[in-house]
Amino acid sequence: MNAFRQPNFLALALRRGNFLLGGVLAGLVALLALVSLAWTPHSAYELDIANKLNPPSPTHWLGTDHFGRDVASMIMVGARNSLLVGFVAVGTGLAVGVFLGLWASARRGWVEELIMRFSDFAFAFPAILSAIMITAILGPGAVNSILAIGIFNVPVFARVTRGSANAIWAREFVLAARAAGKGHARITLEHVLPNILGVVVVQATIFFAIAILAEAALSYLGLGTQPPHPSWGRMLNEAQTFLHLSPHLVLFPGLAVVISVLGFNMLGDGLRDLLDPRLSRTRLAGYPR
Amino acid sequence: MTFPNPPVVDADGLTRHYMLPRESLTAAPQRVFALNRVSLTVRAGRSLGVVGESGCGKSTLARCVMALEPLTAGTLRILGKDPHAMRSRALRRHRQNFQMIFQDPFGSLDPRHTVGRIVSEPLEAAEKRLGPDERRGRVREVLEAVGLRGADMSKYPHEFSGGQRQRIAIARALTTRPALIVADEPVSALDVSVRAQVLNLLRDLQDRYGVTYLLISHDLSAVEYACHQIAVMYMGRIVEYGSTEAILADAAHPYTRALLDAVPRSSPERRRARTTLKGAVPSPTEIVSGCPFAARCPLVEPRCRLQAPEWREVMPGHGAACHLV
Amino acid sequence: MSMLEVDRLTVAFPAPAGPERAVRDVSFELERGETLGIVGESGCGKSMTALALMGLLPEGTDTQGGITLNGRDLRTLDEEAMCRVRGNAIAMVFQEPMTSLNPVRAIGKQVVEPLMLHLGLDRGQAKVETLSLLERVGLVDPRRFYAAYPHQLSGGQRQRAMIAMALSCRPEVLIADEPTTALDVTVQGQILDLIRDAVGESRMSLILISHDLGVIAETVDRVIVMYGGAVVEQGPTWDVFTRLAHPYTRGLFAAMPRLGEGRRRLRTIPGTVPELADLPTGCTFADRCSLARETCHSQPPDMRPVGESHSAACLRLDAATATPSFGSRR
């Protein structure tokens, strides 16, 4: 009786709200990062021991850390860092993963087996563990953490791409394209990719959130962005010691992580709902025939 | 009776077997005998209807003729050339001579492409020399030939009804001016009133362009209306073949007679006692030693179960595979 | 009073382009033991009428009019009471048995359940009853089918199992919505015979919904022709099929290829089915009708008598019936 499930309008509006709120939160983080390129309230690098561990005040909106650096500025620069890591890591995963997924789906047979067994293998390790492993081998640093997160993203995208692409390959219009004399590569580019793009974009947005979280975790462990560059994860790590003395040092970077992860997650969810034809189609489909 | 027209399709002993994936690690993989030594000829400008129930192999036949599925054995010639023996580049060029119409007018058109792009798809693959203006002209011509407007080119499939979509699919099959169109259940997804429009269109196009049809359908009345010859399939084999008139008036095979009798009539004067067949089509994974229809045949004799019937001619051009013919 | 009375049933779905009136002012009566066919093309409202009878329309649907079964207005019942009616007094068989059966439960279990629920049998009794039901619907060797899962059955066998489920609580009305559309022709006849026999044996009433005029002609006593959500013609099957009155019914007949008529050209109905959200003010069929006049476009037609208990909704009935109809072709 699925065909009769009418989209509930309240739910649809809420989902739209989801998308809007997600967009606003993610946009806010992106705005902070952009502004930080040109202007920050104070320098995020300058030490001012005299004013260390200040609580929030009109001069230092979010207070200062144990070296007297301005927390607001550090969070802004940290946002830049987080977004960059997210972009590059997800971009790498996306490019390689989507390519592998499309290839597996178009060629089937041993190519598909090989790619999918490789991604099974990668999936067998917990994500953060493999990221730690990779940074342990390559050494800590922003670039290596990007690489670690990116590599972890490859099988995710390969899998999602292959799954949706296989569904498209089974459709009759693909058969029609084959009957029209199109080769596998052209069918992939002209029919398969455009039809799975929505799914991939949604996946990318959600994994963006996960990448931000992973970067924060790696930096927290000291494997990610290295000092003196500010990073939310390391700010949290350093704030631990002063938790009782200056709780704002934990609060604000933590809040930044939560807001950006939540924002991108909601954005992805909202996008999924908007792009999913089964939910956005408000017409009653009648009997499945 | 002689046919002056050269054959467009010449199939000899087409066979298609494939393995099913194993149900468990220890189970032996099952083999599906989808198509067993099917031979047929369709001459230029004629249409052959292939009828049978689901699982009889008629769709497999369509896909094998379209070279969308490989053959296990047999040779196929379309305009004298075997698409299964060609290299992929040559095959792609040869495809302009044979095109296909599918059953589902909603599934067979890419929802993200415009009608113009959909209809010109076979052209792109076949005739790279065609310039964009010529291509657009050709698309407009075929759209108008199927009763749509040239301006529909820039629309998307979802803006059309089921019948109009099937017209778009027919236009796509016509763009390369093929000699053969294979139509797999082209009207069964359509409503009665629209079905008649599409059936009439298919016939008009044949009169106008001399295109040859291989029409696959479970609907005998549609096939009767659209086809010159009929082949009846059962379990991957052709069990009867002949002119439409001969089959309708004087069906030789008991299965054909049962099929004809099963079609519900819309004249309620006589509420007929149907001679219903027992059971359903057996699974195509079984090897049958005798006649494949023996298990359901109302006229079955002991020899039917032991010995496969040979092809016998009732009249020139009309034959059946049955011991009782 | 008839067993089932449907009085000016109207069903509308909320849609962005305004409410889609899938069913408009449909009225009919059904006596005990009577068989009624509803015929029409996709989107004509025949399935929605059936779902309204079952109280199975989706949330948010606006339903008006009365549905009375044995003097009880089903529209006033709450969901719990309606659940007791469904399966007990009215049962339904759907087009695609594979999607209406639970794929992970054995057939027997699915038949036993309503028996225990509605008739209050214990498990042992219910199983005995189930086995006899399975046998009755032609699933010989019922023990094997009792333990079988839906995917192990052929399409025809699944439809038989669905019918067994529908018959299990001896309903007074059986609604069969395109019960043979997904089946092969040779199996279709078996299933129609089964439905007809089952209905005849237990004096059930039948509502058979189909797009196939042949199926309707061979199975039911009385027929309703629907178009664009409304009834355009109704009457005894024999009457309607021999004295086609409404231009739409006539068009439908002319458009249908019939076996044995050779390659004579089919007459078609121009155009397509109207959008439910944007129905014309007058006759729904006017845009496609060759007999339509000014008035047809502005004034909705009412049902007018054609013969005894045979009526059609057409303002140009005289002109429509003036020409010979059956099998007439251009």
Side-chain angles (χ1 to χ4, degrees):
Chain A
M1 297 298 294
N2 255 333
F4 288 98
R5 221 193 293 143
Q6 271 280 94
N8 185 331
F9 283 97
L10 188 72
L12 203 70
L14 268 180
R15 279 190 213 112
R16 290 257 159 75
N18 216 344
F19 174 75
L20 278 178
L21 190 58
V24 167
L25 292 181
L28 188 76
V29 177
L31 193 73
L32 282 182
L34 275 178
V35 169
S36 80
L37 286 173
W39 175 85
T40 48
H42 299 266
S43 166
Y45 298 93
E46 217 168 87
L47 309 187
D48 181 6
I49 306 294
N51 283 321
K52 67 175 185 182
L53 298 178
N54 275 2
S57 65
T59 32
H60 296 284
W61 301 338
L62 304 182
T64 57
D65 75 348
H66 58 293
F67 291 126
R69 288 176 296 190
D70 180 51
V71 171
S73 310
M74 287 174 81
I75 284 178
M76 283 173 74
V77 176
R80 191 163 82 204
N81 182 59
S82 286
L83 290 193
L84 188 72
V85 171
F87 265 120
V88 180
V90 171
T92 319
L94 191 80
V96 182
V98 168
F99 173 77
L100 287 179
L102 287 175
W103 190 30
S105 181
R107 285 298 303 271
R108 292 294 172 91
W110 64 268
V111 174
E112 186 179 25
E113 276 302 303
L114 199 70
I115 291 172
M116 286 304 118
R117 292 301 81 83
F118 154 74
S119 80
D120 280 349
F121 179 76
F123 260 121
F125 295 93
I128 195 71
L129 204 67
S130 38
I132 292 172
M133 227 162 63
I134 293 168
T135 43
I137 295 167
L138 301 177
V143 177
N144 287 347
S145 68
I146 289 175
L147 201 68
I149 299 165
I151 288 176
F152 157 70
N153 271 343
V154 168
V156 172
F157 282 102
R159 204 159 256 261
V160 167
T161 306
R162 185 200 69 127
S164 347
N166 277 357
I168 301 297
W169 274 98
R171 298 278 294 274
E172 231 169 29
F173 61 77
V174 169
L175 201 62
R178 285 177 58 204
K182 288 239 165 111
H184 282 63
R186 287 191 71 181
I187 290 178
T188 298
L189 281 181
E190 293 176 16
H191 292 287
V192 180
L193 190 57
N195 276 294
I196 65 165
L197 213 54
V199 180
V200 172
V201 167
V202 168
Q203 198 69 19
T205 321
I206 290 172
F207 269 83
F208 201 92
I210 294 178
I212 289 176
L213 202 61
E215 193 276 337
L218 284 180
S219 299
Y220 177 83
L221 296 173
L223 297 169
T225 314
Q226 294 302 303
H229 301 297
S231 138
W232 296 345
R234 221 189 45 259
M235 288 170 77
L236 281 170
N237 185 345
E238 289 168 357
Q240 275 186 124
T241 331
F242 311 101
L243 192 61
H244 299 288
L245 215 59
S246 315
H248 69 274
L249 286 182
V250 177
L251 184 68
F252 294 120
L255 214 57
V257 173
V258 168
I259 285 178
S260 46
V261 170
L262 200 68
F264 281 102
N265 242 327
M266 287 172 87
L267 192 67
D269 268 354
L271 265 178
R272 189 209 328 258
D273 294 339
L274 286 176
L275 293 172
D276 189 339
R278 271 168 309 180
L279 291 165
S280 63
R281 186 166 49 201
T282 43
R283 268 184 60 86
L284 187 86
Y287 243 19
R289 60 156 54 229
Chain B
M1 198 154 51
T2 53
F3 295 105
N5 303 357
V8 171
V9 187
D10 196 2
D12 186 28
L14 299 189
T15 303
R16 165 81 170 136
H17 297 171
Y18 54 88
M19 297 292 193
L20 286 181
R22 288 161 192 262
E23 284 197 2
S24 70
L25 277 175
T26 49
Q30 283 194 306
R31 193 196 282 259
V32 178
F33 303 93
L35 214 56
N36 300 299
R37 292 193 304 278
V38 166
S39 303
L40 52 87
T41 307
V42 196
R43 290 177 189 276
R46 311 288 288 177
S47 39
L48 171 68
V50 178
V51 296
E53 296 176 280
S54 54
C56 74
K58 56 189 194 301
S59 285
T60 308
L61 175 66
R63 288 177 187 207
C64 285
V65 168
M66 286 303 298
L68 293 170
E69 243 182 71
L71 287 171
T72 309
T75 53
L76 168 73
R77 285 192 201 297
I78 293 174
L79 296 177
K81 289 195 277 187
D82 186 348
H84 287 275
M86 288 177 139
R87 298 188 146 270
S88 62
R89 189 178 299 254
L91 173 60
R92 253 177 251 167
R93 203 157 335 109
H94 190 30
R95 280 194 186 280
Q96 64 185 288
N97 298 314
F98 54 104
Q99 293 286 324
M100 189 161 181
I101 303 168
F102 298 87
Q103 169 173 0
D104 177 12
F106 289 88
S108 68
L109 310 178
D110 190 327
R112 286 171 200 274
H113 287 196
T114 61
V115 169
R117 190 164 172 202
I118 289 169
V119 172
S120 64
E121 185 164 50
L123 279 180
E124 281 172 48
E127 295 178 52
K128 294 223 167 69
R129 281 158 293 144
L130 231 52
D133 285 343
E134 284 174 87
R135 201 174 285 180
R136 210 168 305 126
R138 185 79 73 86
V139 170
R140 179 175 317 243
E141 180 196 318
V142 287
L143 280 179
E144 278 161 10
V146 300
L148 297 169
R149 289 172 303 125
D152 291 333
M153 235 187 280
S154 51
K155 292 188 184 162
Y156 285 88
H158 67 85
E159 299 174 57
F160 296 89
S161 70
Q164 288 170 322
R165 282 161 164 255
Q166 200 60 309
R167 285 172 194 268
I168 296 170
I170 295 171
R172 167 175 61 192
L174 279 175
T175 36
T176 54
R177 302 188 177 131
L180 172 72
I181 289 182
V182 176
D184 190 0
E185 302 273 10
V187 295
S188 29
L190 304 177
D191 272 320
V192 182
S193 68
V194 182
R195 187 180 298 182
Q197 295 171 3
V198 172
L199 281 174
N200 279 347
L201 172 66
L202 287 175
R203 266 177 50 177
D204 291 345
L205 294 172
Q206 184 164 54
D207 293 344
R208 210 160 132 195
Y209 300 108
V211 57
T212 306
Y213 290 124
L214 180 66
L215 194 137
I216 313 288
S217 181
H218 71 279
D219 183 349
L220 270 160
S221 44
V223 165
E224 182 197 5
Y225 178 70
C227 297
H228 301 93
Q229 263 85 28
I230 292 181
V232 182
M233 284 187 72
Y234 191 77
M235 286 187 77
R237 295 167 179 82
I238 292 183
V239 296
E240 182 159 5
Y241 174 87
S243 73
T244 304
E245 293 76 22
I247 295 228
L248 263 289
D250 196 17
H253 200 282
Y255 178 64
T256 312
R257 289 205 289 267
L259 263 188
L260 287 168
D261 195 54
V263 178
R265 310 295 156 97
S266 53
S267 40
E269 294 97 288
R270 48 202 174 95
R271 197 157 272 187
R272 308 167 298 136
R274 269 181 293 256
T275 53
T276 43
L277 287 179
K278 287 186 183 59
V281 183
S283 151
T285 53
E286 293 163 25
I287 305 177
V288 195
S289 54
C291 170
F293 187 55
R296 297 176 76 196
C297 184
L299 309 171
V300 63
E301 293 181 359
R303 61 175 164 164
C304 299
R305 300 190 199 278
L306 300 172
Q307 194 185 351
E310 277 173 27
W311 188 260
R312 287 157 205 238
E313 291 232 312
V314 191
M315 279 189 327
H318 178 194
C322 177
H323 287 299
L324 305 167
V325 169
Chain C
M1 203 174 89
S2 305
M3 186 176 75
L4 177 71
E5 284 182 10
V6 176
D7 183 33
R8 280 167 301 176
L9 178 69
T10 298
V11 175
F13 299 104
E20 293 188 349
R21 291 178 297 160
V23 179
R24 286 175 301 130
D25 277 333
V26 169
S27 303
F28 61 86
E29 290 171 3
L30 190 67
E31 304 292 341
R32 184 172 298 280
E34 193 183 19
T35 55
L36 172 75
I38 304 182
V39 71
E41 299 179 281
S42 54
C44 75
K46 53 190 195 302
S47 293
M48 292 300 149
T49 306
L51 290 173
L53 293 184
M54 293 291 287
L56 284 176
L57 287 169
E59 288 283 317
T61 314
D62 178 23
T63 313
Q64 303 291 332
I67 303 169
T68 319
L69 181 70
N70 292 325
R72 198 153 64 124
D73 187 357
L74 299 187
R75 296 259 298 110
T76 59
L77 298 183
D78 58 8
E79 180 56 27
E80 199 184 323
M82 200 59 215
C83 265
R84 274 196 298 273
V85 171
R86 276 199 289 269
N88 218 348
I90 311 182
M92 190 158 171
V93 176
F94 294 94
Q95 171 175 345
E96 187 30 82
M98 193 61 205
T99 50
S100 350
L101 287 168
N102 184 344
V104 297
R105 304 200 67 198
I107 296 291
K109 289 249 162 63
Q110 301 191 47
V111 186
V112 159
E113 210 149 69
L115 282 172
M116 291 169 64
L117 196 72
H118 288 297
L119 298 187
L121 302 181
D122 68 38
R123 190 163 286 281
Q125 291 168 317
K127 181 164 180 181
V128 172
E129 180 68 25
T130 300
L131 289 174
S132 86
L133 267 169
L134 291 178
E135 192 147 29
R136 184 173 158 209
V137 296
L139 295 174
V140 280
D141 194 0
R143 282 178 192 286
R144 191 165 67 86
F145 287 105
Y146 188 92
Y149 287 87
H151 71 269
Q152 296 172 309
L153 271 54
S154 73
Q157 288 167 341
R158 280 198 287 264
Q159 199 55 292
R160 285 175 193 275
M162 274 300 293
I163 293 171
M165 278 174 72
L167 294 181
S168 62
C169 299
R170 300 182 198 100
E172 293 170 88
V173 183
L174 177 68
I175 303 177
D177 188 358
E178 303 272 9
T180 59
T181 308
L183 303 176
D184 281 320
V185 258
T186 59
V187 181
Q188 169 173 297
Q190 300 168 4
I191 297 296
L192 287 178
D193 285 348
L194 171 65
I195 289 177
R196 210 161 56 192
D197 293 347
V199 167
E201 274 168 31
S202 44
R203 287 206 32 86
M204 248 186 293
S205 307
L206 171 72
I207 299 179
L208 176 72
I209 293 166
S210 180
H211 71 283
D212 188 328
L213 296 166
V215 166
I216 293 283
E218 293 202 336
T219 318
V220 296
D221 307 329
R222 218 150 54 77
V223 66
I224 288 178
V225 183
M226 286 185 74
Y227 181 81
V231 175
V232 294
E233 185 162 357
Q234 65 173 327
T237 311
W238 192 83
D239 255 33
V240 172
F241 279 41
T242 45
R243 294 173 59 197
L244 308 166
H246 197 280
Y248 173 67
T249 321
R250 297 162 76 93
L252 210 53
F253 262 78
M256 194 179 58
R258 268 185 297 267
L259 216 52
E261 298 221 326
R263 287 170 64 80
R264 263 190 297 169
R265 195 171 175 82
L266 295 172
R267 216 170 58 183
T268 63
I269 307 175
T272 51
V273 182
E275 285 287 319
L276 291 176
D278 182 29
L279 288 173
T281 36
C283 172
T284 339
F285 188 59
D287 291 340
R288 305 175 72 188
C289 183
S290 58
L291 298 170
R293 291 280 164 83
E294 260 330 91
T295 47
C296 295
H297 291 281
S298 55
Q299 186 186 342
D302 46 356
M303 292 298 275
R304 294 163 182 215
V306 180
E308 198 184 332
S309 67
H310 177 190
S311 54
C314 179
L315 295 172
R316 305 266 296 139
L317 214 48
D318 296 340
T321 47
T323 48
S325 63
F326 196 71
S328 65
R329 302 228 164 135
R330 189 169 63 192

